C-alpha cells in the first residue's frame, strides 16, 4: 500500500546570535550537510527538509505553527548545535501539535585534539545546548523521542527511520475512519469500547451503517466486473475444489469478488479506511465476507471481526506505519485460537473464521470453499495459507472502563510441525515471549483480548511510542518480562492512568 500524502520531516537547528555571524554560518552549513547526508543515505523512509536556523522566540514560534499547518509535515527534528536558551522555545513548543524528535548529535565525530580551542567549543556544544533544550521539553511534559549519536552512524539513522514511521502512525491516527456494518457480537466484552473516548484520544471516527446499505452496493456490481475479478483470482491463487463441483465453486468465489468490489466502492465513496463485519449480521449478503475482506486488508484497509472496531483501527494504523517498507513481511488481524501444549513446542495457533491478511503469507495461497459452521449463509470462499517465520508483535487495545491500555507482546512466529490439511483457514503460529506460560499469564493479567493487530514489520518500541503520543497506557510483554515486575507495571499504570 501507498500513503496518500507525500510526508516530509522538518529539520530545525537551535542556536542564538551570541557567537557572531561566522558561527551562525557554520551552524547553517553543518545542518545542511547533515540533512543532505541523511537524505542521501537511503535509510530514511521520508525526506528531511532543512529549515532556517532558529535563533529567536518569534522565528521558533512561527516555524512550529507553520509545521502544524503544513499537511505534508509529519514531524519536526530538533538539534541544538550551539547553546539555544530554552525559554525562547516555550511559546513555540506550547503551540506545536505534531511528533517531535530530539536528535542529540554533534557535527564532528571526534574531538579535534590538536586544534581545539574555545571558539571551537562554543560553536560545537550540543552536549550543553541539547541539555538546556531537553530540560524545557521535559518540564513542559511534551512527549518526544530522543536519538543519541553521530549522524553518520547507521544505528542513529535507523532509529530516526523507525521514529518517522511512528510519527506517521501518530499524524495519520486522526484520519482513520472505521465503518461498522454490524454492531459488536452480542454479549462479547472485549470487542466493546467507548467510541467517544477513542475519538478524543486517537482521533478515530467510528460510524455505523445498516448492513443492507453496503449489501445494495454489492448488488450493484456488474457481472462483467465481478467475472473479471474472478479471473484475476483464478490466475493468482490455487483452486482447491476438494470434491466440490467446479461451476458451483466458481459461483461461490464470484460472490466474494462481488463483495470485494462493492465494499471497496462503498468505503471509497464514503471515505472509510477500516471496516468491521459480524457473521451474525449479514443482511442481504449471501456469504460472510472472507476472501473479499482478506483482499481489502491486503490493499491496506483495517479490519476487525465481530464488530471489533478497535482492532480494525489498529490494523489500519500498523499498515500505515509500515507502508512502503522494503521487504515488509505483513500486518493482519489475528485471533488466538488454539494451543499446542507439548513441552518444548508450546505455541498459539493463530487464525480466524476467514479473515487473515495475505500479506503475512508464505508459500502458495489457495482458495477453498467450506462451510462456516457458524451463521446461516452459503459456504464462503476464503484464501488459505500459512505464515512467515520470525519475530513480530501482537497488540491488543483494550478499554478498561476508565482508560485505554495497549498491550504489546513480542512473539516468535514459527512453522507448525505438520500440515493441517483439514483446516480450511489461513493460520500463523507463534510462541509469545518470554516463554509460552509467562507470556500468556501476563497477557491475561493485563486483560488482553483474543483478537490482535499483528505485524512482522512494526516494533514494540514504535507501538509504545505511539501509545505515549496518544496519552494512553502501554505495557510490554517480551524477553525482559517476569510476572512479579509485570504486576508492578500494571499497578503503576493504575496509579498514573486510572481514575
Ligand atoms: Mn473473532
Amino acid at each position: 500500500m501507498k500513503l496518500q500524502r507525500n510526508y516530509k520531516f522538518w529539520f530545525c537547528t537551535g542556536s542564538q546570535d551570541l557567537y557572531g555571524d561566522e558561527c551562525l554560518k557554520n551552524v547553517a552549513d553543518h545542518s545542511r550537510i547533515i540533512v543532505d547526508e541523511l537524505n542521501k543515505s537511503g535509510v530514511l523512509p521520508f525526506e528531511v527538509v532543512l529549515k532556517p536556523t532558529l535563533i529567536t522566540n518569534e522565528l521558533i514560534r512561527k516555524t512550529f505553527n507553520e509545521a502544524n499547518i503544513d499537511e505534508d509535515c509529519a514531524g519536526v527534528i530538533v538539534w541544538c548545535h550551539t547553546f539555544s536558551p530554552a525559554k525562547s522555545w516555550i511559546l513555540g513548543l506550547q503551540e506545536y501539535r505534531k511528533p517531535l524528535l530530539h536528535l542529540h548529535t554533534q557535527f564532528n565525530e571526534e574531538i579535534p585534539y590538536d586544534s581545539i580551542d574555545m571558539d571551537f567549543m562554543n560553536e560545537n556544544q550540543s552536549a550543553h545546548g541539547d541539555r538546556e533544550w531537553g530540560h524545557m521539553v521535559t518540564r513542559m511534559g511534551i512527549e518526544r523521542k530522543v536519538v543519541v549519536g553521530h549522524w553518520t552512524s547507521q544505528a542513529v539513522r535507523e532509529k530516526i527511520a523507525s521514529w518517522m514511521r511512528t510519527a506517521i502512525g501518530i499524524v495519520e491516527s486522526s484520519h482513520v475512519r472505521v465503518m461498522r456494518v454490524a454492531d459488536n457480537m452480542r454479549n462479547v466484552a472485549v470487542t466493546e469500547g467507548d467510541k467517544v473516548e477513542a475519538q478524543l484520544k486517537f482521533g478515530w471516527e467510528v460510524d455505523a451503517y445498516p448492513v443492507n446499505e453496503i449489501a445494495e452496493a454489492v448488488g450493484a456490481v456488474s457481472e462483467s466486473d465481478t467475472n473479471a475479478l474472478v479471473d484475476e483470482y483464478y490466475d493468482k491463487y490455487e483452486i482447491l475444489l476438494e470434491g466440490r463441483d467446479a461451476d458451483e465453486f466458481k459461483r461461490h468465489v464470484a460472490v466474494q469478488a462481488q463483495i470485494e468490489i462493492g465494499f471497496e466502492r462503498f468505503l471509497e465513496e464514503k471515505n472509510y479506511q477500516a471496516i468491521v463485519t459480524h457473521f451474525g449480521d449479514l443482511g442481504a449478503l449471501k456469504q460472510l465476507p472472507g476472501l473479499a475482506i482478506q483482499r481489502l486488508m491486503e490493499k491496506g484497509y483495517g479490519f476487525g471481526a465481530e464488530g471489533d472496531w478497535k482492532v480494525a483501527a489498529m490494523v489500519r494504523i500498523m499498515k500505515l506505519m509500515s507502508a512502503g517498507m522494503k521487504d515488509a513481511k505483513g500486518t493482519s488481524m489475528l485471533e488466538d485460537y488454539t494451543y499446542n501444549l507439548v513441552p518444548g513446542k508450546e505455541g498459539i495457533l493463530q487464525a480466524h473464521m476467514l479473515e487473515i491478511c495475505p500479506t503475512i503469507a508464505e508459500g502458495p495461497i489457495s482458495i477453498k470453499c467450506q462451510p462456516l459452521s457458524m451463521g446461516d449463509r452459503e459456504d464462503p470462499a476464503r484464501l488459505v495459507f500459512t505464515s512467515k517465520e520470525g519475530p513480530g508483535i501482537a497488540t491488543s487495545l483494550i478499554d478498561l472502563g476508565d482508560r485505554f491500555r495497549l498491550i504489546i507482546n513480542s512473539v516468535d512466529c514459527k512453522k507448525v510441525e505438520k500440515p493441517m490439511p483439514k483446516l480450511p483457514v489461513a493460520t500463523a503460529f507463534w510462541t509469545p515471549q518470554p516463554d509460552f506460560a509467562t507470556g500468556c499469564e501476563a497477557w491475561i493479567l493485563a486483560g488482553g483480548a483474543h483478537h490482535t493487530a499483528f505485524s512482522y514489520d512494526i516494533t514494540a518500541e514504535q507501538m509504545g511510542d505511539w501509545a505515549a503520543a496518544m496519552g494512553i497506557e502501554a505495557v510490554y510483554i517480551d524477553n525482559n518480562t517476569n510476572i512479579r515486575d509485570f504486576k508492578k507495571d500494571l499497578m503503576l499504570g493504575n496509579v498514573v492512568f486510572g481514575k
Side-chain angles (χ1 to χ4, degrees), residues 130-142:
D130 271 341
R131 280 174 168 74
E132 164 79 358
W133 193 80
H135 163 77
M136 183 51 69
V137 185
T138 293
R139 174 164 174 168
M140 293 175 74
I142 294 171

Side-chain angles (χ1 to χ4, degrees), residues 185 191 279 304-306 308 333-337 351-353 355 374 450-451:
M185 184 175 164
T191 59
F279 65 88
E306 291 92 55
D308 196 337
M333 171 190 148
L334 282 169
E335 178 170 282
D336 298 308
Y337 232 113
H352 203 257
M353 279 183 284
E355 314 92 332
M374 267 186 260
H450 54 282
H451 288 167

